[in-house]
Structures are given as C-alpha cells and as structure tokens.
Amino acid sequence: MGGEYNHRMAIVVRVVLGFLLAASSIVSVAAELDTASTIIVNARIVDGTGAPARKGAVRLQGDRIVAVGELEPAPGELIVDAGGLTLTPGFIDTHSHHDRGIFEHRDAMAAVSQGITTIVAGQDGSMTYPIKYLFDRLQQTPAAINVASYIGHGNIREFVMNADFARAARPEEIERMRRLVSEGMGYGALGLATGLEYDPGIYSTTDELLVLAKEVAGFRGRYISHIRSEDRYFWAAVDEIVRIGREAKIPVQISHMKLAMVDWWGQSQRLIDVLERARSEGVDITGDIYPYEYWQANLGVLFPRRDFTNRETAEFALKSIAPPDGLRITGFPPEPALEGLTIAQIAERSSMTPAEVLMDLTQRSAVMGNNDDVIGTSMRSDDVAALTAWPHANICSDGSLVGKHPRGTGAFTKVLRVYVREQKLLSFEEAIHKMTGLSAAHMGFADRGVIRPGAHADLVLLDPEQVSDRSTIEHPEALSVGISKVWVNGVVVLDEGEATGHYPGQVIRRVDP
Ligand SMILES: [Zn+2]
C-alpha cells in the first residue's frame, strides 16, 4: 500500500470513558453491553448476501456481531473509524490446503492477507491430520483463522486397504470405511471429500462412494469432490457426482470446476446446462472455482490409467491437456534441480522429446510416491469466467500457506481485481457474495459469511478500488494489497498488512440444519 493510501487508512481510537456520556441514548446502549465492545463506524457495508452496499456501523461484542446500521458509539467502546472503506464478511475458502503447516504458520498470512477467515480442509480426499487430532490440536493451539474439515476419503481408504489400494474395495473394507466416516461425522466433519483423480481414490467404485455418501446423509452431511476426471472422462465424472447427490440425497459440490482439455474449451455453457438440469431434478449440486487457467497437481494425474510408460498417453496429455511449454515442474524430489523448468525446457536440454521427458519424470516420481508438484496450463480464460459467473459457484483458492501456485496468496483478491474491476463480469456485491454468504450456504455454516446481528464477527475492511493480488508463478509468495484489516471472531488478526499475533480462530463443526 502506497503513501497516498494513508489518509484513508482506518484509525483506531480508544474513547475515554465519559466522553460521550452527554448523550443519554448512548448510555442506554452501554447498559446493555456487559463486556467490552467494538464499533466500526463510517463503513460502506457489503453484507455478503449480494444486497447493495450501504453506509453504516457495525458493533462487535465477544466473537459476534451484535448490531448493524445507524449506530452511535457507546461510552468506553473501542471505535474503529473505517474511513469510508468497505466492510465485508470474512472470506470462506471452501477448497483450501492452507491447513498444511498451520501449526508452524499460525498467522496463516497467505490466507488472511487475501481476506480469508475460514478454510475448509480435507479437500481432494486428503486430510493433513485425522479430524479428531486436527480439531483437538486447534482448540489447544488455535490459528488466526477458523478451520472446518471434510473427512478425506483417500485417507480412510488407504488406512483400510494399506498399500493394496489399486483395486476395488471388498465389502468388508467398505464397511470399515463406513465406520470411519461415521466416526469422523461424530467429531463434526462437514461430510465426505473425495479426490478421484488421485491415488488411492481413483480406484474406488461409484458403489463404494455411494455407501459412504449414504452414511454421511444419516448425519445430514454433504459431499465435495475433485471429480474423477477434469479432462478425458470429464462428462462421465460430472454424471457420477450428480448420481451421488441424487442417490445419497445430500448436497454435492464440484471442487475447483474446470474444463481442462482442449476438446472441451468453450463448453462452459454445456456444463452449466448439465448442472442446471440436475438442479431442476432436485439434485443440490454446486461448485467452487479459482481464477487461474493453470492448476497444480502431480504428473501422475496426466496418466489416468497410471500407464507411465505409454507413449500414446503421454503424447495425448501434452497435445490435449497440458502443452509442454505450460507444464512447469515446481517440486521434484528425485531431482530438485529441475524445479522451475517446463517440460519443453527440459526436453530442449536433453535428447528426449517432451513426451519422453514426461514419461521419464513420471516414472521416476512414481518410485518415490508421486509426490512431485507440477503446474499445468489447461483452461481457457473465458470458460473460467463463465463458470465463475454461474450463480451456484463460489470462490475457492485451492491454495497453500507456502505453495508454488499464486492462488495460495492471491485467488480471492484476483477475483476482485480481474472479474470486478477490470472485466466487470461481477458486481462487487456479487463477488463478495460468492466469497462469503454463498460459500457459507454451500458448506452448511449457519452463522458465518454474512454481516448481521448474531453472526460471528469475521470481517474484512478493504478498499474496493485498490484491493489486488500481486502473486505470480515467479513470485507465488507475494501478498495481496488493499486489505486494511481482518477480524476473526471479533479479534483483529491483520492490521495494515501486518499479522497481529492473535489467534482467535475456531474449529467449525457441522451443525444440524
Ligand atoms: Zn483438487
């Protein structure tokens, strides 16, 4: 934030007790306040419902919002002058990996600095920690942000089947998974998350998923999925998640929606039609999306049959899914020196073709468990924009606290820069709704994502004209700008670009609707 921005920065003022005692109406308000309260005055309020911005004040007490509207400060109350800046609900990241390393990075700056106050973990079927351990440890050692979690299908599948997971599960194995799902739901998981393009989820049958999804239904939970294919078998993968929603009778959400194959480019309306048809038939299907044309995964996902020596598969992947000059190695344990290079660059430096490089690297990585990282450019910007604008799509980051993809620090602020300011695809209020109120509805959060009395005081104070991402592939760590303050449960965690060192984050457990 530059110097010209200073005069508009919010000013925190501690009002001397008695300063305002002259106004009797204020005394009566004060009488109702039994613990210290904060009032944010002179704000432009965008409440997360999609309603137009309105001027006003917001009073916080404890971890809640207690009043919104034309409010006067009460004696002794902490006053925050918003200086005309815009106050929104804290952003809810429905597909996040910011839980990785959260206990080493409790400030969660990558998330908080782009306005995220709540992350939803367990994504892609992968939990960093078992639900009970994660929740217990977060209660003992909270972070700056709130954390909710799905049960990672991949984790429980691997726990039950061990290394022998490359096959359909037997009935007794599915029964053991079902009991683990039941246990996780009992701890307050939101539902079941799958990652069906990854090991070990890719080997599951739809019947296995249906058994587990129906178990979730008994708890009135939900299902979220990195679907079985985002390229070759995309339409069948969409049909599968629709079927799970229909037969298990639970809300289902497609993670990080994308059309990641040349053949499907320009078909965003076809996808929206499929989803709308399912919705019209009673399937509660929604999606989340991040604003980039490139994804991050491991090389193995380009070989859905795991046939890493198949030249045809490799050539097809580089032709139709991820061109060699847009497929960049960002983590490669067998040979870290390759990190930062594209497949095209590695091929140029060797005697191999790009397809041979792809096969070689994937085989070498497989020996070490496929824990490489690669960024692939597979989407077209107009598809990303059209899917973002779908009324049932909310924004996610898919990001990490310390990651190589710029989404970890910039996904939400990039939406505000590109889709609101530059392209005018969304109004500011619509974009905020897709980051807050809509996301809360998609996750089943009853009292977050909106600015209204009784809701949790997760708030962002920002300048709509300045808010922007700065992260790039070259500098994925660059933090966003234009966000002045972030509150989590009534406590300031980010103040003019600096972490405050407060850790008011809560564990968010599923509540019965
Ligand atoms: Zn994913």
Side-chain angles (χ1 to χ4, degrees), residues 95 97 123-125 194-198 225-227 230 255-256 258 290 296-297 398 407:
H95 187 101
H97 301 290
Q123 302 296 340
D124 300 315
T194 60
L196 303 181
E197 224 174 14
Y198 296 111
S225 181
H226 176 142
I227 59 176
E230 299 183 323
S255 294
H256 42 55
K258 52 178 86 93
Y290 56 74
Q296 181 166 31
D398 202 359
R407 64 197 182 190

Side-chain angles (χ1 to χ4, degrees), residues 338-358:
L338 296 180
E339 290 169 15
L341 297 176
T342 65
I343 296 294
Q345 289 168 329
I346 297 168
E348 269 167 39
R349 292 171 187 203
S350 70
S351 54
M352 293 189 279
T353 66
E356 286 164 350
V357 169
L358 178 59

Side-chain angles (χ1 to χ4, degrees), residues 117-179:
T117 56
T118 295
I119 60 167
V120 183
Q123 302 296 340
D124 300 315
S126 173
M127 298 180 287
T128 309
Y129 312 97
I131 294 272
K132 184 180 187 312
Y133 176 88
L134 175 68
F135 286 1
D136 286 352
R137 191 163 170 198
L138 279 170
Q139 284 190 315
Q140 284 158 17
T141 315
I145 52 176
N146 305 307
V147 180
S149 185
Y150 282 83
I151 298 158
H153 168 248
N155 302 87
I156 60 169
R157 193 167 202 275
E158 192 161 2
F159 182 79
V160 167
M161 302 176 73
N162 295 303
D164 182 27
F165 58 65
R167 58 174 172 83
R170 291 186 276 267
E172 65 273 19
E173 290 168 330
I174 295 175
E175 170 58 19
R176 285 185 65 201
M177 290 184 223
R178 189 192 61 74
R179 274 186 264 132

Side-chain angles (χ1 to χ4, degrees), residues 298-300 303 306-311 314 332 334 352 355-372:
N298 63 56
L299 289 166
F303 297 82
R306 302 296 186 256
D307 49 349
F308 306 140
T309 57
N310 188 326
R311 180 179 297 266
F332 195 69
M352 293 189 279
E356 286 164 350
V357 169
L358 178 59
M359 291 189 288
D360 175 59
L361 297 186
T362 311
Q363 288 172 67
R364 286 164 63 194
S365 183
V367 175
M368 295 178 69
N370 288 110
N371 59 352
D372 63 89

Side-chain angles (χ1 to χ4, degrees), residues 197 202 227-238 258-264 267 270 295 298-308 310-322 358-359 378:
E197 224 174 14
I202 194 169
I227 59 176
R228 207 172 281 273
S229 173
E230 299 183 323
D231 42 70
R232 291 173 181 82
Y233 314 113
F234 177 71
W235 302 101
V238 173
K258 52 178 86 93
L259 290 160
M261 188 164 121
V262 176
D263 299 45
W264 313 137
Q267 298 197 15
R270 175 180 169 195
W295 43 259
N298 63 56
L299 289 166
V301 301
L302 294 169
F303 297 82
R305 307 285 183 228
R306 302 296 186 256
D307 49 349
F308 306 140
N310 188 326
R311 180 179 297 266
E312 238 175 274
T313 307
E315 284 174 352
F316 180 86
L318 294 175
K319 181 168 87 49
S320 294
I321 301 173
L358 178 59
M359 291 189 288
S378 291

